[in-house]
């Protein structure tokens, strides 16, 4: 057994400096497109977006980050690509009534998170899983995954919510004690992604539960999910979910 | 036996009742036969001529059902597609599970019955499968032409108190339901463990909680739109599925993918395999509660995700593929850099492998658990590392190569024991072979085009790729306007899950997570 201990110590510290310092390591994020003035080419470029994430008005392109599925069709194979940002602090507040100051409070120090897969493709869940690895080690921030709704403060939902998961999701949410928060993670959970809308699934979690924090990305990288949890805990400010609101 | 000899044998075997057409370019023997001869033809192909059963593709034509049973064999033997047709009003077919003893076809027939309302006579277990009985009326057939994918049937609510039938009838027997939500970060799926106390006697899995009806959604869309679905329905292996889909479209269009794109595709596919295997190894370590090893494997997975993200923009390689080649070129220098980074990860993976091999407490937990016998692997046409750990070795990169795999040197690792440890060893060994292929790919990169023009036209074709979890088959039919009219995906998780109950019977309760993790099953990939 001691062999493993030594091996563990030799590995050294890998953990990111985020949220204290920004993380610049290559490959930690797929990035997102940036709203831009494109003039005459704007309309054609907005057309290329398969999910309606790009909105074009008077030559200006606005991005709805909640819908972007990282298809890169607005940057690859076009003469004038949209600008791209490599950040990861993407989490925003959902809707008006639950303002920033109402989050936080009892959630500041430590939160227990229940993760529910409501039909994801496996990638969002895999990125959530990375938060437990040495690079992100979310325990240091007081974030813990719990398997039971009774202990959970935050419900983290991935996937567009298939009809077969609808009842189970509601039941789990009901079983959680109050106060509680819902964090929807990934394009599918926010807008249905490429799967909405159909006879077996809808346009995301907000059709089923009151959502507090939304984390864009398909999938969002671990750091973006971490940002979402920090926003839910009132420890980081939220950012706008569309470029029209001045986001990014 | 090669494809031409096979054609003769089939035509001699059923004179006048089975016609055979050999397509030398695709190495496919298309056998059109009568319904009455179907079971016999399939039986001989599977049992006597030793083909694997890839899957069943059901298509609803304007006035007839068309069923296509796909088989693949060793390198020379190629593919066999057995076709039967029947008027729409006559929707009953012989079950090849019952009549030909092809157990591998079991779930394929159940799915077709559920979604199309096609009946397979004598099949013992039809009903509650994709469509959960508690949520859907019997009469719903969502894959039928007339069924509206968007409007109809929204907002049915499954009964959360649904309870399965119990099969075990002993005093004190009860069913332990696990799911659909269970444990920490897990996909939604429902396990039913039947027990009389300490040990679990048998287990079954209720799947399709995550069914997004991807195949139905694809209908009427352009190939570019469907590519988004192909990459995203099971995105831990997005590239492999995207590749199989693109190959099908390219085959229909007769597009010749340029050499550079082929080499880059191989490089990326192997990078994905390496990363997915690291993830699977991490899950196995975690299931045995070996903390340091779990953490070390987690580091390897994250580093490979970063290598992918840095090279391709996206950590799961989205947005690179396009029918005809690649959507953007990757500079050779960047590939070389990624190779170097992956090589460093692999070196540490090897040392993790060495440590695990001498950790007796770890070996005690995964040796002799979850055994799949070689004859089961064959009878169920299992695929991927699960099959190869049970000495059933049919890697598509080797037996039906694509994208130039025939020109790479690599081994196809296999083991005999079929237990959890054998599967782990195959994962480690395959990771090393992936690196070998990536090295050769980078050396083979020459400047050149990365995308060939694709002239869409009507037709149908099968794309087949050895995905990290095993063989993946994507059947695509385009209508004359170049839109997708039928899309069917046969995934390794669907195929391997079918045998999972055989590995998970008569075991100690605490072994369940270990057995499950060594199968590396993806619910998203199964459910589609
Ligand atoms: S990358 Fe995002 S914004 Fe750009 S076209 Fe694709 S989905 Fe739309």
């Amino acid at each position: 057994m001691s062999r493993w201990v030594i091996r563990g110590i030799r590995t050294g510290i890998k953990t990111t400096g985020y949220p204290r310092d920004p993380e610049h390591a290559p490959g930690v994020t797929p990035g997102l497109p940036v709203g831009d003035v494109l003039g005459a080419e704007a309309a054609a470029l907005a057309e290329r977006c398969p999910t309606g994430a790009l909105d074009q008005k008077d030559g200006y392109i606005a991005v709805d980050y909640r819908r972007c599925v990282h298809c890169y069709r607005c940057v690859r194979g076009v003469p004038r690509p949209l600008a791209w940002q490599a950040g990861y602090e993407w989490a925003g507040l959902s809707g008006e009534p639950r303002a920033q100051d109402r989050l936080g409070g009892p959630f500041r120090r430590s939160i227990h998170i229940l993760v529910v897969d409501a039909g994801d493709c496996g990638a969002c869940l895999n990125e959530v899983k990375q938060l437990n690895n040495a690079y992100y080690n979310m325990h240091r921030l007081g974030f813990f995954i719990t398997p039971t709704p009774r202990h959970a403060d935050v419900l983290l939902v991935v996937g567009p919510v298939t009809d077969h998961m609808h009842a189970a999701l509601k039941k789990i949410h009901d079983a959680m004690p109050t106060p509680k928060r819902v964090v929807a993670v990934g394009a599918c959970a926010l807008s249905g992604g490429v799967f909405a809308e159909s006879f077996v699934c809808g346009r995301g979690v907000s059709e089923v539960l009151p959502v507090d924090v939304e984390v864009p990305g398909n999938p969002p990288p671990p750091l973006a999910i971490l940002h979402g949890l920090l926003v839910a805990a009132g420890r980081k400010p939220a950012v706008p979910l569309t470029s029209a609101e001045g986001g990014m | 036996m090669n494809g031409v000899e096979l054609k003769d044998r089939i035509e001699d075997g059923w004179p006048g009742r089975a016609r055979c057409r050999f397509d030398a370019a695709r190495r496919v023997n298309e056998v059109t036969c009568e319904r009455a001869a179907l079971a016999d033809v399939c039986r001989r192909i599977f049992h006597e001529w030793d083909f694997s059963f890839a899957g069943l593709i059901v298509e609803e034509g304007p006035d007839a059902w068309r069923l296509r049973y796909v088989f693949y064999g060793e390198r020379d033997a190629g593919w066999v597609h057995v076709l039967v047709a029947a008027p729409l009003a006559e929707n009953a077919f012989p079950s090849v599970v019952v009549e030909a003893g092809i157990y591998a076809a079991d779930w394929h027939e159940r799915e077709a019955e559920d979604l199309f309302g096609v009946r397979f006579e004598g099949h013992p277990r039809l009903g509650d499968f994709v469509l959960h009985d508690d949520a859907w009326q019997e009469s719903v057939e969502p894959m039928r032409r007339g069924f509206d994918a968007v409007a109809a049937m929204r907002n049915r609510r499954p009964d959360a108190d649904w309870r399965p039938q119990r099969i075990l009838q002993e005093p004190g027997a009860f069913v332990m339901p696990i799911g659909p939500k269970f444990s920490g970060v897990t996909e939604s799926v429902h396990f039913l463990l039947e027990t009389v106390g300490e040990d679990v006697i048998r287990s079954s899995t209720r799947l399709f909680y995550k069914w997004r009806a991807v195949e139905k959604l694809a209908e009427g869309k352009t190939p570019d739109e469907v590519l988004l679905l192909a990459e995203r329905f099971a995105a831990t292996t997005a590239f492999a599925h995207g590749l199989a889909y693109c190959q099908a479209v390219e085959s229909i269009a007769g597009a010749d993918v340029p050499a550079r794109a082929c080499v880059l595709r191989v490089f990326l596919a192997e990078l994905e395999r390496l990363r997915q295997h690291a993830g699977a190894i991490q899950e196995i370590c975690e299931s045995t509660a070996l903390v340091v090893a779990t953490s070390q494997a987690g580091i390897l997975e994250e580093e490979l995700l970063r290598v992918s993200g840095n090279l391709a923009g996206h950590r799961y390689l989205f947005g690179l593929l396009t029918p005809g080649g690649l959507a953007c070129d990757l500079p050779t220098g960047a590939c070389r850099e990624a190779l170097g980074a992956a090589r460093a990860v692999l070196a540490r993976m090897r040392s993790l492998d060495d440590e695990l091999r001498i950790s007796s407490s770890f070996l005690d937990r995964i040796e002799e658990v979850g055994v799949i016998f070689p004859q089961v692997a064959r009878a169920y046409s299992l695929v991927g590392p699960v099959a190869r750990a049970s000495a059933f070795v049919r890697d598509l990169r080797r037996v039906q190569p694509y994208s130039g795999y025939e020109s790479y040197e690599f081994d196809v690792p296999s083991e005999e024991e079929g237990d959890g440890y054998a599967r782990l060893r195959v994962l480690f060994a395959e990771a090393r072979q992936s690196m070998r292929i990536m090295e050769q790919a980078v050396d083979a990169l020459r400047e050149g085009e990365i995308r060939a023009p694709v002239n869409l036209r009507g037709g149908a074709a099968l794309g087949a790729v050895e995905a990290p979890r095993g063989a993946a088959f994507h059947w695509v039919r385009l209508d004359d306007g170049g839109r997708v009219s039928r899309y069917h995906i046969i995934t390794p998780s669907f195929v391997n899950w079918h045998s999972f109950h055989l590995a998970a019977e008569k075991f100690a309760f605490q072994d369940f997570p270990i057995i499950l993790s060594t199968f590396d099953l993806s619910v998203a990939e199964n459910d589609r």
Side-chain angles (χ1 to χ4, degrees):
Chain A
M1 220 30 333
S2 61
R3 264 193 355 263
W4 285 111
V5 176
I6 292 163
R7 202 186 154 92
I9 293 166
R10 281 226 187 96
T11 308
I13 295 169
K14 298 263 183 194
T15 313
T16 176
Y18 184 80
R20 204 180 54 249
D21 309 310
E23 174 65 70
H24 294 300
V28 292
T29 174
L32 277 173
V34 181
D36 204 356
V37 186
L38 282 188
E41 287 157 58
L45 199 71
E47 271 289 293
R48 283 177 70 88
C49 180
T51 57
L54 302 181
D55 193 21
Q56 184 275 143
K57 209 171 159 203
D58 306 328
Y60 178 79
I61 289 205
V63 187
D64 182 346
Y65 307 119
R66 291 167 297 195
R67 291 171 180 236
C68 177
V69 294
H70 300 313
C71 72
Y72 299 93
R73 288 178 189 177
C74 54
V75 284
R76 290 175 182 163
V78 286
R80 166 79 168 81
L82 213 51
W84 201 263
Q85 57 95 355
Y88 46 81
E89 287 195 326
W90 297 341
L93 295 177
S94 175
E96 291 302 318
R98 294 167 165 257
Q100 173 79 34
D101 59 0
R102 294 198 42 208
L103 298 171
F107 299 102
R108 279 195 167 266
R109 250 176 281 272
S110 129
I111 47 180
H112 286 79
I113 302 150
L114 181 76
V115 180
V116 173
D117 163 20
D120 93 317
C121 65
C124 279
L125 223 46
N126 207 48
E127 296 294 59
V128 172
K129 202 185 83 184
Q130 302 307 317
L131 292 175
N132 267 332
N133 81 32
Y135 273 104
Y136 302 103
N137 183 18
M138 69 171 169
H139 292 180
R140 77 199 149 97
L141 299 169
F143 296 152
F144 302 95
I145 303 276
T146 175
T148 48
R150 301 272 173 231
H151 298 155
D153 308 303
V154 166
L155 179 61
L156 189 161
V157 189
V158 296
V161 190
T162 55
D163 278 10
H164 284 179
M165 279 306 291
H166 187 284
L169 180 61
K170 277 196 102 136
K171 215 173 154 183
I172 288 164
H173 185 254
D174 288 345
M176 287 168 61
T178 45
K180 53 190 162 192
R181 294 287 177 258
V182 177
V183 178
V185 168
C188 299
L190 305 191
S191 64
V194 294
F195 305 111
E197 170 174 23
S198 83
F199 69 109
V200 281
C201 77
R203 297 194 168 275
V205 184
S206 63
E207 288 186 345
V208 185
L209 301 176
V211 174
D212 298 287
V213 176
E214 301 189 299
V215 186
N218 189 224
L223 289 170
I225 303 168
L226 210 51
H227 179 242
L229 294 171
L230 290 163
V231 169
R235 287 158 61 178
K236 271 273 177 186
V239 300
L241 291 161
T242 66
S243 69
E245 299 167 53
M248 292 174 226
Chain B
M1 178 169 44
N2 66 32
V4 179
E5 288 161 5
L6 189 73
K7 174 177 159 49
D8 294 341
R9 285 222 205 170
I10 291 169
E11 292 193 329
D12 294 347
W14 297 272
R17 298 170 64 203
R19 275 177 299 112
C20 199
R21 200 173 58 89
F22 182 56
D23 179 338
R26 292 180 182 176
R27 293 184 301 150
V28 177
N29 264 304
E30 251 186 17
V31 186
T32 310
C33 74
E34 295 173 359
R35 256 189 295 179
L38 172 73
D40 200 34
V41 172
C42 290
R43 187 184 54 76
R44 292 193 69 184
I45 292 170
F46 187 84
H47 289 291
E48 280 180 34
W49 300 332
D50 192 28
F51 278 73
S52 287
F53 181 68
L56 164 63
I57 299 155
V58 177
E59 294 187 271
E60 183 189 351
D63 43 31
W65 292 107
R66 286 184 305 223
L67 271 59
R68 179 181 296 261
Y69 296 76
V70 179
F71 299 84
Y72 62 105
E74 297 298 330
R75 178 78 185 265
D76 291 338
W79 302 82
V80 183
H81 293 196
V82 180
L83 314 180
V84 277
L88 284 184
E90 294 171 30
N91 64 351
F93 293 86
S95 163
V96 299
V97 181
V98 179
E99 308 262 324
I102 303 176
Y103 297 119
D106 177 13
W107 279 19
H108 299 266
E109 289 186 355
R110 286 180 71 184
E111 179 178 323
E113 191 265 354
D114 228 7
L115 300 182
F116 284 95
V118 174
R119 288 191 300 114
F120 295 94
E121 289 167 328
H123 193 296
R125 268 189 85 196
L126 299 173
D128 192 75
F129 192 54
V130 182
L131 308 179
H132 292 171
D133 274 355
D134 54 296
W136 300 78
Q137 298 117 315
E138 262 310 306
S139 57
V140 178
E141 290 154 5
M143 287 305 290
R144 294 290 303 266
R145 284 255 166 275
F147 189 92
D148 187 327
V150 181
M153 301 296 295
R154 285 272 299 131
N155 301 322
R156 286 152 308 87
R157 292 297 165 238
D159 170 8
D161 294 317
W162 174 88
R163 285 289 169 270
Q165 278 189 312
R166 192 151 51 83
I167 293 178
L168 201 61
Q169 300 294 347
E170 273 174 60
F174 64 97
V175 183
M176 178 107 63
I178 302 180
K181 160 68 199 156
F182 65 103
S183 179
V185 184
T186 46
E187 288 191 89
S188 291
V189 54
H190 204 102
F191 295 106
L192 304 159
L193 308 185
E194 294 192 49
T195 172
V196 279
E198 294 276 298
D199 288 356
V200 179
I201 309 298
R202 66 180 297 282
S203 65
S204 53
T205 317
R206 196 187 199 213
L207 287 148
F208 296 103
Y209 284 89
K210 297 173 59 156
W211 185 49
R212 289 141 293 165
V214 165
E215 297 171 3
K216 184 75 182 180
L217 291 180
E219 291 177 4
K221 291 199 159 76
T222 65
D224 273 345
E225 289 167 336
V226 175
L227 174 60
L228 297 172
L229 293 169
E231 282 180 335
R232 281 164 188 75
F233 80 97
T236 51
T237 53
F239 196 82
H241 285 294
L243 181 55
Y245 169 78
C246 284
Q247 284 177 6
V249 174
E250 286 150 8
S251 176
I252 297 168
D256 246 332
V257 179
R260 184 174 175 85
C262 283
V263 175
L264 284 171
R265 282 174 168 193
V266 167
F267 182 80
L268 292 161
E270 296 306 321
L271 178 59
E272 179 178 82
R273 189 182 323 277
L274 186 58
R275 191 216 75 227
Q276 176 54 33
H277 281 9
I281 290 164
Q282 192 268 350
E283 297 270 353
I284 293 171
C285 293
E286 192 169 6
S287 74
T288 63
L290 200 58
V291 179
V292 177
T294 306
S295 150
Q296 306 254 313
I299 289 171
L300 304 180
E301 185 188 9
E302 171 65 20
E303 287 180 355
L304 290 167
L305 283 164
R306 290 183 183 190
V307 171
S308 312
N310 190 31
L311 171 67
H314 195 271
R315 288 157 59 93
Y316 296 85
L317 308 176
F318 285 8
L320 290 168
L321 285 161
T322 190
L326 291 177
C328 68
D329 201 357
L330 300 176
T332 305
C335 292
R336 213 168 269 290
E337 202 182 299
L339 180 71
R343 202 187 283 132
V345 175
L346 188 79
R348 277 177 299 129
M349 195 187 275
R350 285 187 103 125
S351 101
L352 178 66
D353 187 8
D354 293 343
E355 290 281 344
L356 288 173
R357 278 169 197 269
I358 52 170
S359 292
S360 53
S361 63
F362 172 74
L363 298 181
D364 283 348
R365 301 212 60 190
I366 66 166
E367 271 180 315
E368 289 166 37
V369 303
V371 176
I372 289 287
F373 294 106
Q375 58 273 34
V376 169
R378 182 173 294 268
Y380 282 68
S381 286
L382 299 188
V383 294
V386 173
R388 294 191 278 274
S390 297
F392 185 52
V393 186
R394 224 162 234 175
D395 187 317
L396 287 178
R397 293 172 296 172
R398 177 59 51 78
V399 295
Q400 307 302 337
Y402 51 90
S403 208
Y405 268 109
E406 61 275 21
S407 56
Y408 295 82
E409 267 179 46
F410 63 101
D411 298 326
V412 180
S414 68
E415 299 287 346
E416 314 251 296
E417 293 89 339
D419 62 354
Y421 187 37
R423 291 192 279 276
L424 178 68
R425 293 201 304 278
V426 168
L427 291 175
F428 274 117
E430 287 195 3
R432 294 195 286 275
Q433 296 304 318
S434 289
M435 178 55 65
R436 253 179 101 184
I437 298 172
M438 285 164 68
E439 305 262 8
Q440 295 168 55
V442 168
D443 286 340
L445 274 177
R446 301 282 172 274
E447 292 310 308
E449 291 295 309
I450 47 139
R451 187 172 185 177
V454 174
N455 300 313
L456 294 175
R457 56 187 180 208
L462 188 72
V465 159
E466 186 69 27
R469 295 183 177 91
F473 306 97
H474 288 231
W475 174 259
V476 179
R477 181 175 294 279
L478 300 182
D479 63 21
D480 291 337
R483 283 181 180 264
V484 173
S485 63
R486 174 79 172 113
Y487 184 30
H488 184 49
I489 317 168
I490 300 158
T491 69
S493 292
F494 179 79
V495 169
N496 287 345
W497 216 308
H498 181 216
S499 75
F500 178 66
H501 70 287
L502 294 170
E505 62 178 17
K506 299 196 184 65
F507 59 97
F509 195 77
Q510 66 271 21
D511 287 342
F512 185 70
I514 300 174
I515 301 173
L516 182 62
S517 69
T518 60
F519 261 70
D520 187 23
L521 297 163
S522 156
V523 186
E525 193 180 70
N526 175 85
D527 289 4
R528 288 159 282 150

